[in-house]
Amino acid sequence: MNTMDNSHDASGSTPVLRLQRLDADLPLPVRAHPTDAGIDLHAAHDCNLAPGHRMLVGTGVAITLPAGFVGLVHPRSGLAARAGLSIVNAPGTVDAAYRGEIKVNLINLDPTDTVHIARGDRIAQLLIQRVELWDVAEVEELDQTDRGTGGHGSTGGHARLT
Ligand SMILES: O=c1ccn([C@H]2C[C@H](O)[C@@H](COP(=O)(O)OP(=O)(O)OP(=O)(O)O)O2)c(=O)[nH]1
Ligand SMILES: [Mg+2]
């Protein structure tokens, strides 16, 4: 495989993510099932997260994406349900031109229990999506719409606060 060619495979076959392992002893990130959306990312080191605490955890991998694509670092629902583990900036944005190690800003949202992460644990999942790159043009006025400036619950039906 030509490691310099980072173009998206337009032939109709599954695109290939060019991924560099910065830590050869960690497992290669893969999809748990062939059609899963996310590629599971592993923790590069142990960490203990007390309730409410957060930590930037390396994954030991770097990737190359062509322009027009983005990597999104999503939490894993099992860890969220079982341990209250999430990601501070979910989903994290991995820019196409970023060549550094992908890191995950984990946070323990459980009110009472510490979360123990071991090196090699699957802590997050990477989704790759197309993204449109828009230029910005400043205007004096915006077009009129029915919604106008109404937002943040303007249509009602939201939960009551106690
Ligand atoms: O969960 C994440 C989010 C980001 N990144 C890396 C890749 C991304 O391309 C870079 C910058 O991310 P972002 O643009 O979200 O952060 P920023 O605070 O705007 O930093 P910068 O000024 O470097 O753009 O950090 C990660 O490794 N993991
Ligand atoms: Mg940025």
Side-chain angles (χ1 to χ4, degrees), residues 114-135:
T114 294
V115 178
H116 304 279
I117 307 283
R119 173 178 155 82
D121 282 355
R122 293 176 295 149
I123 52 169
Q125 53 186 325
L126 178 70
L127 275 68
I128 297 169
Q129 295 183 354
R130 289 182 188 274
V131 66
E132 293 194 37
L133 305 177
W134 286 45
D135 290 331

Side-chain angles (χ1 to χ4, degrees), residues 19-109:
L19 179 148
Q20 181 183 29
R21 251 191 289 189
L22 307 171
D23 182 336
D25 295 331
L26 281 174
L28 188 70
V30 292
R31 296 169 204 288
H33 300 103
T35 57
D36 284 356
I39 296 165
D40 289 330
L41 298 171
H42 302 264
H45 57 83
D46 299 345
C47 72
N48 295 322
L49 284 173
H53 285 227
R54 60 189 159 88
M55 186 180 289
L56 199 56
V57 178
T59 64
V61 295
I63 61 171
T64 175
L65 289 173
F69 289 81
V70 64
L72 297 175
V73 181
H74 284 260
R76 295 188 64 214
S77 60
L79 291 173
R82 279 189 278 110
L85 191 70
S86 192
I87 296 175
V88 175
N89 57 323
T93 302
V94 179
D95 297 293
Y98 179 70
R99 298 291 175 269
E101 181 183 14
I102 296 176
K103 295 182 179 176
V104 185
N105 201 344
L106 291 176
I107 184 163
N108 177 3
L109 297 178

Side-chain angles (χ1 to χ4, degrees), residues 5 14 51 64 66 71 83 90 94 107 133 139 146-147 154:
D5 175 11
T14 307
T64 175
V94 179
I107 184 163
L133 305 177
V139 295
D146 283 349
R147 174 173 281 274
S154 67

